[in-house]
């Protein structure tokens, strides 16, 4: 019987789950800080200790995998809407299932002495040097995949219109699967607009009695850095695509024009019915 070392067990599954979480983040086009991904991977590493338990029936193993996926996604991406939470969990579960299937195939074909799979958890006894080399290789491959996938994040053009303090605002927009800005307390999605759309009315609008109590400050992180955006909740925002028109309730966040390029507004794809 091969000895299982807890530190190696944790590190191997931590790396596997971190890679899977990066893959989920990329294909679901959701923003997430690296520290949150590390937290999720750490939860997955701890959950891998189920390998120490006696072998369990496949039904129970499937249930344990589902619970693990829910915990890992909660640690990495919460808060998100219930719909997005289920999508992320399903993506994590399916990718994990595929990875485990690959490991089983390796086990059956080559029967490596340093590979153990039990209760859908993987243990590979490797040297620290090999672990580092493998990590660098996987990260490099994922970076290439991310670059390829990120080219097609935009979905389609649209028109956006709403009323703010008696001012009718109409502009062009893009439905963007990479836009995931949310008001931090309510978790409601925010549409990002160029503040230039408000023209000379910016100060008067944000200081008016009907708006001032609705203003929220939303933190954001982008390639250009971090900052805060003023946002106002809009009960009835109209979005028109080439196929249909519909109304959504969301925050209208306003930022400098250089952060919204090629359009006047970025609409999160999650808002689209």
């Amino acid at each position: 019987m091969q000895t299982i070392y807890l530190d190696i067990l944790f590190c191997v599954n931590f790396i596997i789950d971190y890679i899977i979480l990066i893959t989920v983040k990329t294909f679901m086009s959701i923003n997430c800080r690296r520290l949150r991904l590390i937290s999720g991977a750490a939860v997955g590493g701890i959950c891998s200790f189920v390998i120490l338990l006696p072998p369990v029936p496949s039904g129970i193993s499937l249930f344990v995998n589902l619970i693990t996926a829910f915990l890992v996604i909660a640690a990495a991406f919460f808060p998100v809407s219930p719909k997005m939470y289920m999508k992320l969990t399903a993506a994590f579960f399916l990718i994990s299932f595929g990875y485990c299937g690959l490991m089983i195939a390796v086990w059956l074909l080559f029967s490596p002495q340093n590979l153990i799979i039990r209760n859908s958890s993987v243990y590979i006894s490797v040297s620290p040097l090999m672990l580092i080399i493998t990590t660098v290789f996987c990260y490099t491959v994922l970076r290439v995949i991310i670059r390829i996938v990120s080219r097609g994040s935009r979905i389609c053009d649209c028109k956006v219109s709403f009323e703010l303090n008696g001012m009718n605002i109409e502009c062009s927009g893009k439905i963007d699967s990479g836009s995931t800005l949310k008001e931090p307390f309510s978790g409601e999605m925010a549409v990002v607009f160029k503040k230039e759309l408000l023209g000379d009315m910016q100060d008067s609008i944000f200081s008016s009695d009907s708006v001032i109590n609705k203003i929220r400050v939303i933190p954001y992180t982008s390639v250009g850095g971090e900052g805060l955006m003023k946002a106002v909740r809009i009960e009835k925002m109209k979005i028109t695509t080439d196929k249909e028109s519909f109304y959504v309730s969301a925050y209208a966040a306003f930022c400098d024009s250089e952060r919204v390029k090629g359009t006047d507004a970025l609409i999160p794809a999650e808002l689209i019915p």
Side-chain angles (χ1 to χ4, degrees):
M1 177 180 292
Q2 182 176 339
T3 303
I4 295 178
Y5 296 95
L6 293 182
D7 55 345
I8 295 178
L9 174 64
F10 176 84
C11 288
V12 167
N13 282 274
F14 173 86
I15 291 172
I16 291 172
D17 286 328
Y18 184 71
I19 291 172
I20 292 173
L21 285 171
I22 291 177
T23 306
V24 171
K25 172 181 177 291
T26 301
F27 284 98
M28 296 299 293
S29 298
I30 185 169
N31 290 333
C32 180
R33 293 179 180 271
R34 185 175 301 177
L35 184 59
R36 294 296 303 273
L37 296 179
I38 291 174
S39 299
V43 171
I46 294 172
C47 290
S48 69
F49 290 171
V50 297
I51 199 173
L52 303 175
L53 300 175
V56 298
S58 58
I60 296 178
S61 179
L62 178 62
F63 177 75
V64 170
N65 283 339
L66 283 172
I67 296 299
T68 298
F70 277 115
L71 293 175
V72 170
I73 293 301
F77 299 109
F78 192 82
V80 293
S81 67
K83 180 181 178 181
M84 179 58 70
Y85 185 71
M86 295 304 296
K87 287 182 178 180
L88 290 169
T89 302
F92 179 84
F93 179 76
L94 291 174
I95 293 172
S96 300
F97 186 78
Y99 180 85
C100 191
L102 177 62
M103 289 297 99
I104 292 174
V106 172
W107 191 19
L108 294 175
L109 289 173
F110 304 105
S111 298
Q113 297 301 311
N114 60 348
L115 173 64
I116 299 175
I117 300 176
R118 185 188 303 150
N119 300 333
S120 297
S121 189
V122 178
Y123 175 82
I124 308 173
S125 180
V126 295
S127 66
L129 178 60
M130 182 57 66
L131 193 60
I132 293 172
I133 293 174
T134 303
T135 302
V136 172
F137 173 77
C138 291
Y139 180 77
T140 302
V141 172
L142 280 171
R143 289 299 299 174
V144 173
I145 294 174
I146 289 172
R147 285 182 178 273
I148 295 173
V149 173
S150 62
R151 294 175 184 173
S153 62
R154 296 284 163 86
I155 297 178
C156 65
D157 296 328
C158 64
K159 297 290 184 182
V160 187
S161 60
F162 62 95
E163 182 179 330
L164 179 59
N165 194 38
M167 179 180 181
N168 291 317
I169 298 175
E170 296 184 7
C171 64
S172 61
K174 286 186 180 294
I175 299 173
D176 190 351
S177 59
S179 180
T180 57
L181 188 70
K182 294 183 178 182
E183 198 281 322
F185 296 101
S186 65
E188 287 193 67
M189 301 300 299
V191 178
V192 181
F193 294 91
K194 292 180 178 180
K195 66 181 182 182
E196 285 77 7
L197 291 171
L198 301 178
D200 298 332
M201 302 293 292
Q202 292 183 42
D203 294 337
S204 60
I205 288 176
F206 287 123
S207 61
S208 66
D209 294 336
S210 62
V211 173
I212 195 168
N213 292 328
K214 300 179 181 179
I215 295 176
R216 298 292 184 269
V217 177
I218 301 180
Y220 70 89
T221 302
S222 66
V223 177
E226 300 180 352
L228 299 172
M229 294 185 193
K230 282 186 178 180
V232 181
R233 191 174 188 277
I234 306 298
E235 297 286 348
K236 199 173 182 181
M237 185 182 298
K238 184 178 181 181
I239 299 176
T240 303
T241 67
D242 57 350
K243 296 181 180 179
E244 60 179 339
S245 295
F246 52 89
Y247 291 91
V248 299
S249 175
Y251 277 87
F254 297 90
C255 68
D256 296 329
S257 58
E258 62 264 20
R259 301 196 180 278
V260 183
K261 297 181 179 180
T263 187
D264 294 323
L266 294 178
I267 299 93
E270 192 175 336
L271 279 175
I272 308 306

